[in-house]
Amino acid sequence: MKRWVATTTAILMVLSMVLLAACGKDSSNAMAEKQVLNVGYITSEPPALDPLKGTDEISDLVMRHVLEGLVRLDENGNPIPGIATKWDVMDGGKKIIFHLRDAKWSNGDPVTAQDFEYAWKRMLDPKNAAEYAYQLFYLKNGEAYNSGKAKAEDVGVKALDDKTLEVTLESPTPYFIPLTAFHALFPVDKKVAEKNPNWGTDAKTYVGNDPFLLKTWVHDKKIELVKNPNYWDAKNVKLTQINFPFIGEEQTEYQMYVSGSLDMSRNVPPDLAVGLIKEKKAKIIHQPALYYYIFNTKKKPFDNVKIRKAFSLAIDREAIVKDVLGQGQTPATGWVPWGIRDFNQNKEWVQTHAPYIQPKANPAEAKKLLQEGMKEEGITQLPDITISYNTNEGHKKIAEAIQQMWKQNLGVNVKLANTEWKVFLDNLTQGNFQVARYGWVPDYMDPMTFMDMWVTGGGNNNAKYSNPQYDALIKQAKATGDQKVRMEAMHKAEDILARDMPVAPIYNYTQVYLLKDYVKGVEIEPDGSFTFTHAYLTEK
Amino acid sequence: MLRYLGQRLVMMLVSLWLIATLTFMMMLAVPGDPFTGEKKLPPETLKNLKAAYHLDKSYPEQYLYYMKNLVMLDLGPSIKYTTRTVNQIISEGFPASAQLGVQAIILSLILGLLLGAIAALRQNRIPDYTATLIAVLGVSVPSFVLAPILQKYLGLEWELLPIATWDGFEYSIMPTIALAVLPLAMVTRLMRSSMLEVLSQDYIRTARSKGLSPSRVIVRHTLRNAILPVVTIMGPLTAGILTGSFVIEKIFSIPGIGKYFVDSVTNRDYPVIMGITIFYSAILILMNFLVDLIYGWVDPRIKVGHKEAS
């Protein structure tokens, strides 16, 4: 009898524990009473929260939560309605008519087409000296007005009435519509900005039209956003407040995350990241960005294509991402990184072509090419090779690994030279380098942002590369709105890059972040940035 | 005395002008400008930007323009933090830096003088060894190593104090400790050696032999004289702490101006580089002046404003 009681009690206990655990699981999905999110994201003061002046990632993060443009982007980078409910593309892609919804500014003013026209012309006005004016050079006469060669009236943006905005472009630009989701093209409340040009410098005078309002902006300390009851989709916004304390040190941010004062951390110390990923405590996202080495094609020995190819082939990209970095990065297989789409085949760009570059080094082929290249140049000994990079522990480690690979695979002695960031950039522009590291993050989600860099005389063409055939293909892609023609031209252009190798792509970037289990609904934009509009907290 | 003060004031202004001019020249000699960035700007945009900040003018014109504004105490706009002026950055950031600095100085002075004096009075005994050990550790453990250790234990493990940010007195305790350790060690060592030297002087022996109580000998005759070397280093030390706390400000996310001291150079934010350098130089010059005045007060033999008879 006693044994029976004991057995029954044990079974009941186990059952009740299972039930309790199950209940516990249920309750963890219940919404938390307090919907306040503390985010470790901002490392220093945002330079500006007025779209006219903000150019950096931090200003962009805040502006994306307090201001809304014509469209938003879905997870694939396709435009979905924002302030515009629909848009008509006409005239072979050169004209777009946006139809706006009934939306309000946080001061109660209606958001009108005039607000967009005003904001864009304000951005292009040469007197305002906006750094991001070039993001509006796609507009007809946008560049001409910015350089004082045309008047404001000539610019291709016009409010037909309060709710209709007509946009005329210089040439068909399929990525212009998604570009309106970028903060440089956000609207400003015309009435407010005309009366007070400094409206965007203080939380008290700040006017927004997004799910959140700028409640507090204490310089060098914190930004607090609260829910905007006037937002058109306010019913789908669950958070009541987002706090962004400014934390300058990754280690400090990590300790605050562990202690529970932060619910999310985006700045994970690199030395901890590898371990945290292994323990599945940290998450990784793929950033559509490329890390690469630039060859100075105007200086010996890298003016020879075979020598450039030999040096590229001698790099073991797999070893770099696995042994040096270890944060989920992948070896680059071409010039357009992962995350960028081919809009013709509707696939990831990297999946639409055979890899141009192999992850493993090919020492035999590299040595052969080096010998042939040297013969072509009539040299028996290579001059000293120097890798330039800007002062940073990560760049140093990669440079050291590549130094070792070139020594081992090519028998070449390589020196390393690190300089401070702006000195490094200055050297690059002046052409005072042989091989230098670089990275490129897209301006907009289209392969063009990676491809048009290498046209002859391009501002960012630090390799000083020039190939008329390549230039013609890029020109062709820029002149049309036909995605098939554009994509095919860019694929052909990429083939040429693979042949000429002015740069050696190394790896595709990742972003490591920490997020508590009870935080749900955090959205990751196609460009790798975060949005908290639909985030919410469940019970801990 | 008035004449002396007048002379000093003129000298201080001349020093500031020299510092400003030299900084201006060096700043322009460094490669890169505020608009050198990862992505190159179109030439027209760059032209507009340079015009907006008067950087399209010749160097002498830029210099005169800057100096004219400086006389009016206008330090100009920040080029990186486009919506703020340098005057705003300093006036908003300095209170936090100053609070942290002053707390660290007070803490290091009180503890340093006390430890140094005890070490000297108990020479070659346990209190002396303890004080010497603290001093050695203080000098050899950098603040950027100590700060994360404090954060880990006082903040994370024992939950006694907030890990970082700036929201009241308790937020200032850890950074104050981290910042005070080096000056504390310096004051302790200096006080100990200077105390030992004074204690071996004839007049102390005289005072003792006259039958003065030990406490009177220490307080009236030893401490006052022993403190002189400490006063000497207080000028540069105070200026150093008020201005050199950028590492601590960064680690503890304190909204001070320390980080601008370094970041402005990285950003080539010319007005901020100039403004902060001039502001910090003014503090250093002022501190040295105050120390000279205190010197005269502590040791009446040093008469401020009177030339010694040759």
Side-chain angles (χ1 to χ4, degrees):
Chain A
M1 183 71 183
K2 267 184 186 171
R3 203 167 161 181
W4 179 82
V5 172
T7 314
T8 314
T9 316
I11 290 169
L12 279 175
M13 273 177 73
V14 170
L15 272 176
S16 60
M17 275 163 76
V18 170
L19 274 173
L20 269 173
C23 290
K25 214 172 183 182
D26 272 355
S27 69
S28 75
N29 279 327
M31 290 273 285
E33 206 176 313
K34 214 173 137 200
Q35 290 293 326
V36 178
L37 187 69
N38 294 296
V39 182
Y41 199 121
I42 301 187
T43 49
S44 69
E45 173 76 8
L49 298 183
D50 181 337
L52 181 72
K53 304 265 182 185
T55 52
D56 63 300
E57 193 195 6
I58 292 171
S59 306
D60 173 68
L61 167 80
V62 182
M63 282 192 274
R64 275 190 295 110
H65 287 85
V66 291
L67 290 171
E68 185 169 42
L70 291 167
V71 305
R72 304 183 83 97
L73 298 181
D74 71 7
E75 57 199 5
N76 288 324
N78 297 316
I80 49 171
I83 293 296
T85 48
K86 57 177 185 149
W87 42 91
D88 307 316
V89 182
M90 295 177 291
D91 202 7
K94 280 177 87 168
K95 187 175 271 184
I96 311 163
I97 307 267
F98 289 97
H99 302 277
L100 275 54
R101 71 172 76 242
D102 288 323
K104 275 185 185 167
W105 290 102
S106 49
N107 62 359
D109 289 347
V111 179
T112 63
Q114 285 86 354
D115 292 332
F116 283 91
E117 182 187 337
Y118 170 75
W120 292 6
K121 287 185 176 168
R122 179 172 171 253
M123 180 69 91
L124 285 168
D125 187 342
K127 281 202 297 292
N128 290 332
E131 221 173 299
Y132 265 179
Y134 69 90
Q135 299 281 9
L136 281 161
F137 284 3
Y138 305 104
L139 295 182
K140 190 169 173 52
N141 287 320
E143 188 168 6
Y145 175 44
N146 187 241
S147 51
K149 290 176 196 138
K151 290 191 203 118
E153 309 81 275
D154 306 332
V155 177
V157 55
K158 198 174 166 198
L160 299 180
D161 57 49
D162 280 1
K163 296 291 169 213
T164 319
L165 185 75
E166 182 191 77
V167 176
T168 315
L169 303 174
E170 282 283 351
S171 56
T173 314
Y175 50 86
F176 185 80
I177 296 168
L179 190 67
T180 62
F182 182 59
H183 73 251
L185 281 79
F186 283 171
V188 294
D189 187 337
K190 188 178 171 200
K191 277 191 214 160
V192 170
E194 277 178 340
K195 217 182 280 173
N196 174 17
N198 295 325
W199 66 277
T201 57
D202 194 330
K204 286 192 202 91
T205 53
Y206 202 89
V207 181
N209 65 339
D210 220 17
F212 298 95
L213 306 173
L214 183 64
K215 180 194 169 203
T216 321
W217 179 9
V218 186
H219 293 303
D220 294 309
K221 193 174 161 187
K222 63 178 173 185
I223 276 185
E224 288 169 351
L225 308 180
V226 286
K227 186 176 170 176
N228 176 7
N230 274 337
Y231 182 58
W232 62 269
D233 194 24
K235 64 176 190 305
N236 286 322
V237 177
K238 297 183 187 88
L239 289 179
T240 56
Q241 183 159 341
I242 311 177
N243 298 328
F244 294 105
F246 306 166
I247 306 159
E249 269 286 315
E250 290 159 341
Q251 283 286 350
T252 307
E253 189 169 311
Y254 178 67
Q255 294 198 357
M256 286 175 76
Y257 175 81
V258 174
S259 77
S261 26
L262 292 176
D263 305 310
M264 183 201 160
S265 163
R266 203 193 67 133
N267 307 295
V268 184
D271 50 339
L272 291 180
V274 181
L276 288 167
I277 294 166
K278 268 188 197 148
E279 293 167 41
K280 297 211 167 22
K281 284 182 181 160
K283 297 180 171 68
I284 296 175
I285 49 171
H286 297 176
Q287 273 186 309
L290 183 75
Y291 190 97
Y292 56 90
Y293 269 30
I294 312 171
F295 297 116
N296 188 342
T297 62
K298 292 278 172 270
K299 259 192 184 171
K300 292 212 173 297
F302 296 112
D303 55 347
N304 182 289
V305 62
K306 284 186 175 159
I307 297 182
R308 293 201 292 268
K309 276 188 177 170
F311 274 78
S312 176
L313 274 173
I315 300 173
D316 189 337
R317 291 161 174 87
E318 196 170 274
I320 290 174
V321 298
K322 274 196 184 151
D323 306 335
V324 183
L325 302 162
Q327 295 176 25
Q329 295 92 339
T330 54
T333 54
W335 280 262
V336 178
W338 61 9
I340 299 283
R341 296 186 81 74
D342 177 320
F343 294 102
N344 179 35
Q345 303 180 46
N346 209 16
K347 268 190 198 166
E348 274 238 16
W349 181 276
V350 288
Q351 287 167 0
T352 58
H353 63 80
Y356 292 108
I357 297 155
Q358 296 306 319
K360 300 292 284 176
N362 185 345
E365 180 69 15
K367 256 186 208 147
K368 194 178 131 239
L369 278 171
L370 181 65
Q371 289 310 320
E372 285 174 16
M374 284 168 67
K375 207 172 165 191
E376 279 175 13
E377 296 299 311
I379 46 174
T380 48
Q381 188 155 10
L382 273 182
D384 284 348
I385 304 296
T386 305
I387 298 175
S388 304
Y389 61 94
N390 56 302
T391 314
N392 172 294
E393 208 41 49
H395 303 326
K396 186 176 167 218
K397 279 185 191 164
I398 294 169
E400 283 169 351
I402 291 180
Q403 180 188 36
Q404 183 65 28
M405 291 167 192
W406 284 347
K407 170 89 195 156
Q408 204 176 323
N409 297 340
L410 295 173
V412 177
N413 279 324
V414 178
K415 286 191 266 184
L416 305 182
N418 75 315
T419 38
E420 185 258 3
W421 178 230
K422 295 230 174 186
V423 177
F424 171 77
L425 289 176
D426 199 58
N427 281 335
L428 233 56
T429 313
Q430 308 292 335
N432 297 330
F433 73 100
Q434 286 180 309
V435 195
R437 63 95 4 206
Y438 219 71
W440 196 254
V441 181
D443 281 331
Y444 46 90
M445 296 301 286
D446 190 281
M448 184 56 85
T449 188
F450 289 92
M451 296 308 295
D452 70 354
M453 282 177 77
W454 309 110
V455 294
T456 306
N460 292 300
N461 181 355
N462 288 319
K464 309 277 182 259
Y465 170 67
S466 173
N467 183 327
Q469 230 183 330
Y470 181 86
D471 295 350
L473 283 163
I474 299 298
K475 203 173 161 194
Q476 186 194 354
K478 283 198 164 184
T480 174
D482 185 334
Q483 293 288 31
K484 188 166 184 276
V485 180
R486 288 181 70 234
M487 297 299 139
E488 280 175 3
M490 283 192 278
H491 276 298
K492 279 185 200 157
E494 199 178 15
D495 294 343
I496 296 178
L497 279 185
R499 222 165 53 213
D500 291 354
M501 197 78 66
V503 289
I506 307 220
Y507 69 84
N508 300 313
Y509 278 73
T510 53
Q511 165 78 53
V512 180
Y513 68 101
L514 298 161
L515 184 71
K516 301 272 184 183
D517 292 339
Y518 55 81
V519 184
K520 315 278 183 200
V522 173
E523 290 153 314
I524 296 161
E525 301 278 314
D527 67 355
S529 51
F530 290 72
T531 305
F532 304 101
T533 304
H534 299 115
Y536 59 95
L537 291 92
T538 56
E539 272 175 14
K540 289 178 194 175
Chain B
M1 184 71 178
L2 265 180
R3 199 176 144 188
Y4 169 77
L5 287 180
Q7 277 174 347
R8 280 298 294 255
L9 191 70
V10 172
M11 283 307 294
M12 282 155 75
L13 289 174
V14 170
S15 309
L16 265 186
W17 170 73
L18 275 174
I19 291 168
T21 307
L22 281 173
T23 312
F24 192 89
M25 281 156 52
M26 286 194 286
M27 187 176 78
L28 294 176
V30 180
D33 67 32
F35 313 112
T36 310
E38 203 160 15
K39 294 184 176 174
K40 288 217 190 72
L41 294 172
E44 297 297 340
T45 308
L46 199 62
K47 208 175 110 196
N48 293 337
L49 274 166
K50 287 200 168 172
Y53 292 101
H54 306 277
L55 297 176
D56 54 342
K57 302 210 167 63
S58 69
Y59 288 160
E61 276 176 303
Q62 286 183 42
Y63 175 75
L64 285 177
Y65 178 81
Y66 188 83
M67 285 298 158
K68 207 176 84 195
N69 285 337
L70 183 62
V71 173
M72 313 294 289
L73 297 181
D74 175 5
L75 298 170
S78 161
I79 301 177
K80 162 95 177 163
Y81 298 93
T82 39
T83 49
R84 299 174 78 191
T85 64
V86 182
N87 291 51
Q88 279 172 339
I89 288 178
I90 294 176
S91 62
E92 286 169 4
F94 189 61
S97 298
Q99 184 193 335
L100 186 64
V102 168
Q103 282 179 199
I105 289 163
I106 293 174
L107 182 72
S108 58
L109 258 188
I110 294 176
L111 277 182
L113 291 178
L114 206 68
L115 279 174
I118 292 171
L121 292 171
R122 297 278 179 275
Q123 199 191 358
N124 296 333
R125 277 184 265 175
I126 287 174
D128 184 19
Y129 297 141
T130 315
T132 311
L133 182 72
I134 291 173
V136 170
L137 281 178
V139 171
S140 46
V141 179
S143 58
F144 61 84
V145 172
L146 181 69
I149 296 175
L150 289 175
Q151 280 179 327
K152 184 165 166 53
Y153 290 99
L154 295 183
L156 196 59
E157 305 268 323
W158 304 330
E159 294 179 16
L160 294 173
L161 291 166
I163 292 170
T165 66
W166 190 254
D167 257 326
F169 178 70
E170 73 266 33
Y171 288 80
S172 72
I173 299 175
M174 268 203 280
T176 301
I177 297 172
L179 195 57
V181 166
L182 180 67
L184 184 149
M186 284 164 69
V187 171
T188 305
R189 286 195 337 179
L190 207 60
M191 187 62 187
R192 179 182 178 273
S193 57
S194 136
M195 241 340 235
L196 285 175
E197 199 187 315
V198 174
L199 283 172
S200 66
Q201 298 282 324
D202 289 343
Y203 67 88
I204 299 292
R205 239 172 278 150
T206 316
R208 278 186 181 145
S209 60
K210 268 166 63 184
L212 285 180
S213 69
S215 59
R216 206 176 156 87
V217 172
I218 288 164
V219 174
R220 288 216 45 180
H221 297 277
T222 320
L223 280 182
R224 188 161 177 160
N225 289 314
I227 217 167
L228 270 174
V230 178
V231 173
T232 317
I233 63 154
M234 276 324 284
L237 196 67
T238 309
I241 288 176
L242 288 179
T243 58
S245 54
F246 61 90
V247 176
I248 294 300
E249 283 183 13
K250 198 168 175 197
I251 294 176
F252 289 98
S253 302
I254 293 163
I257 46 174
K259 79 183 175 80
Y260 288 101
F261 206 29
V262 181
D263 288 354
S264 62
V265 182
T266 315
N267 296 328
R268 304 287 190 276
D269 195 341
Y270 296 148
V272 181
I273 299 177
M274 288 297 293
I276 303 227
T277 309
I278 292 170
F279 179 70
Y280 278 166
S281 309
I283 291 182
L284 180 67
I285 291 170
L286 195 71
M287 284 301 155
N288 280 335
F289 173 62
L290 285 179
V291 163
D292 283 353
L293 290 184
I294 295 171
Y295 222 79
W297 173 69
V298 174
D299 187 349
R301 285 174 306 177
I302 303 161
K303 287 271 188 251
V304 169
H306 287 261
K307 282 189 177 154
E308 278 178 37
S310 53

